[in-house]
Amino acid sequence: MKILPPVSIEARRLVPSKWDVLAAILVLGFIVLFADASRALVEPLTSLGSKPLSLDPWNLPGYALRTALRMLIALAVSLVFTLTYATWAAKSPRAGSLLVPLLDILQSVPILGFISVTVVFFLSLAPGRIFGAELAAVFAIFTSQAWNMAFSFYQSLRTVPEEMTEAGRMFGLNGWARFWRIEVPFGLPPLIWNMMMSMSGGWFFVVAAEAISVGHTTFILPGIGSYIASAIAQQNLTAIAWAIGAMLVVILVYDQLLFRPLVAWADKFRIDNEDSEDFPESWVLDVIRRSDFMDWVAAPFHAFMAWTYRLTPPARGRAGILRDTVPSRAGDVVWWVFLGVLAVYALYHIWLMLGGTLSWGDIGTSFGLGAITMFRVTILIALASVIWTPIGVYVGLRPHLAHVIQPVAQFLAAFPANLVFPVAVFVIVRYALNPDIALSPLMVLGTQWYILFNVIAGASAIPRELRDAGTNLQVKGWLWWRKVALPGVFPYYVTGAITASGGSWNAAIVAEVATWGTHTVRAHGLGAYIADATQAGNFHRIVLGIATMSFYVVVVNRLFWRPLYWFAERRYRLT
């Protein structure tokens, strides 16, 4: 005989709760908005020219939706890239010897370089359709989001406490299960903060990403970035103010629907034996947790993941564990020979392309200007570190304060430097200031936040036991900073400083030449060199400038930042 549940329980299962209704509205609303924005993808590319961008503020909601979806797709692609690229670099010493320097180079390549090289490829994927231009724009935004996320997750994987990894092996978890149940949760809090920073970085470069140039033809994709670029070109301050307002609304929506739920959810992965007294909250996370509808939607995914965890047999014992990571010397020799041949082949082709058109004088000029930009970047990163590290520690140790600061910092980080140009040019011309000094702060305007966001993530990850031990021992003042705070945030600070340094080099292209109307102010440096070469369409000098910038970034990272990275791994790893 079938035993039926009590009437009250049965009725509760059949009637959707208010959480189910809210969850369904959120999911269906997103699907409708995504479908609505996707309808334009199949339209002909020439339709962009027939419908020029309008500065009418009533068009801004539609433009904001298009830009927000581009950035969301780019963020999702960046997350997939992070979980694969950073994991491969951290797990394989051979691959890491190539992938980590490659990441240094990729983050130093200006977004203009990515657009000019890849736009033809993406347009060829959907000939004559807007979809190809949209792919190029998403890829350009991806190049401004992915690198710092990959650096953050790489740093987390390299500092996973050995006890946690060992416990996973002892419980019989295979490598796939250890990755999702130990390593990803450990690296999640800093990764989420870097996702926020990546979103802000995407805003910084979205002005360039939404203008796709092929030859002498430029396709302007509808969006907030192209709206801002058009407003700057027309010197329309009212339109710029409307665009800033639209940006603020989109950032707040992202904060409520995506980042705040992620921060609240990731709080349970803190390495802490005590429950937080000041834990973050999110109404969206409450809806997801209390909704049977979301459980029903997620059930197939949970079942699939549980099945993958059982694909391999349990632990093979300690002997099997020790056999896992013994490197092969012959394999190392083959790997390094392969890299050497690859490097010689690449140098040969670079020489064929640039050798006949550039002189040693051009090379000397680019390296000299690179030294000037390097000096400028070094000073600015040092100043930003002194300012934002103590502020980040203070905010990171107070979760409720972090929730207030988070959207404000995101908005400030997203604020395009282009919008400050009118003020900068006016002040420099009005007071006859030296552009080499006066334009320098613009380089770090959008990148200093990498330091703040990473330090906040590091401070929020300091175990409560460590803080309580400092309090019980009455460790205060500078001694508390030296023994508790700075060691706790140091690995995160190094990650933020590396990405801030690379971003500042990239931002130099925008910041060393400021234009407003008929006035142009130029500083000496490699950024201005690349900007001038881009303006003149001199491809060889663009490549030389990018190569010089990549050289400086890699050398600085190898001689300065990488030793700090290793020091942080050895000295301040949580064990």
Side-chain angles (χ1 to χ4, degrees), residues 199-451:
M199 185 63 77
S200 301
W203 279 111
F204 189 78
F205 288 106
V206 79
V207 177
E210 290 181 345
I212 306 297
S213 298
V214 181
H216 298 291
T217 305
T218 299
F219 300 103
I220 305 296
L221 294 171
I224 293 183
S226 52
Y227 186 94
I228 291 174
S230 179
I232 290 175
Q234 299 179 30
Q235 299 185 46
N236 189 332
L237 293 176
T238 305
I240 289 176
W242 279 112
I244 293 172
M247 279 176 52
L248 178 60
V249 171
V250 174
I251 289 170
L252 289 175
V253 170
Y254 260 114
D255 173 66
Q256 288 296 313
L257 297 184
L258 180 63
F259 292 125
R260 190 162 298 220
L262 284 175
V263 170
W265 175 65
D267 187 65
K268 65 181 181 179
F269 300 125
R270 286 162 49 94
I271 300 180
D272 216 331
N273 291 333
E274 298 180 17
D275 293 333
S276 173
E277 298 172 356
D278 204 10
F279 56 87
E281 297 176 345
S282 162
W283 65 270
V284 174
L285 187 64
D286 290 340
V287 170
I288 294 173
R289 281 176 170 163
R290 298 176 184 181
S291 166
D292 293 335
F293 173 75
M294 296 304 293
D295 290 341
W296 176 76
V297 170
F301 175 75
H302 285 306
F304 173 76
M305 292 300 288
W307 174 73
T308 61
Y309 295 157
R310 297 190 295 268
L311 280 180
T312 56
R316 297 157 292 167
R318 193 157 188 85
I321 295 168
L322 293 177
R323 283 197 304 271
D324 274 347
T325 55
V326 178
S328 162
R329 190 165 183 81
D332 286 343
V333 172
V334 172
W335 173 248
W336 285 110
V337 169
F338 168 74
L339 290 184
V341 172
L342 197 64
V344 171
Y345 181 76
L347 285 173
Y348 173 70
H349 276 274
I350 292 171
W351 177 255
L352 284 181
M353 187 176 67
L354 301 180
T357 54
L358 296 174
S359 64
W360 286 106
D362 292 324
I363 297 173
T365 300
S366 68
F367 270 81
L369 294 174
I372 296 173
T373 300
M374 183 178 70
F375 177 75
R376 203 172 277 141
V377 169
T378 304
I379 297 296
L380 291 171
I381 293 298
L383 289 174
S385 302
V386 171
I387 294 171
W388 292 117
T389 299
I391 295 176
V393 171
Y394 185 84
V395 173
L397 294 178
R398 294 161 180 80
H400 278 306
L401 181 59
H403 296 159
V404 177
I405 296 293
Q406 175 188 321
V408 177
Q410 272 185 264
F411 178 70
L412 293 175
F415 202 83
N418 315 47
L419 301 184
V420 187
F421 285 3
V423 178
V425 174
F426 172 78
V427 172
I428 291 171
V429 173
R430 175 71 175 78
Y431 297 101
L433 301 177
N434 185 346
D436 287 331
I437 299 174
L439 286 179
S440 296
L442 298 181
M443 291 171 56
V444 80
L445 196 65
T447 58
Q448 58 186 331
W449 311 105
Y450 288 111
I451 297 174

Side-chain angles (χ1 to χ4, degrees), residues 484-563:
V484 179
L486 293 181
V489 303
F490 189 69
Y492 299 86
Y493 162 75
V494 174
T495 301
I498 290 176
T499 48
S501 175
S504 297
W505 277 94
N506 214 323
I509 299 168
V510 180
E512 287 183 348
V513 180
T515 301
W516 177 249
T518 57
H519 296 286
T520 298
V521 180
R522 180 177 281 98
H524 295 91
L526 188 59
Y529 178 87
I530 296 175
D532 290 341
T534 305
Q535 184 75 21
N538 191 327
F539 180 73
H540 296 95
R541 289 196 174 182
I542 295 175
V543 173
L544 176 62
I546 292 173
T548 306
M549 187 174 283
S550 302
F551 173 81
Y552 272 107
V553 172
V554 171
V555 168
V556 170
N557 283 359
R558 280 285 143 184
L559 296 183
F560 182 72
W561 292 118
R562 199 56 56 191

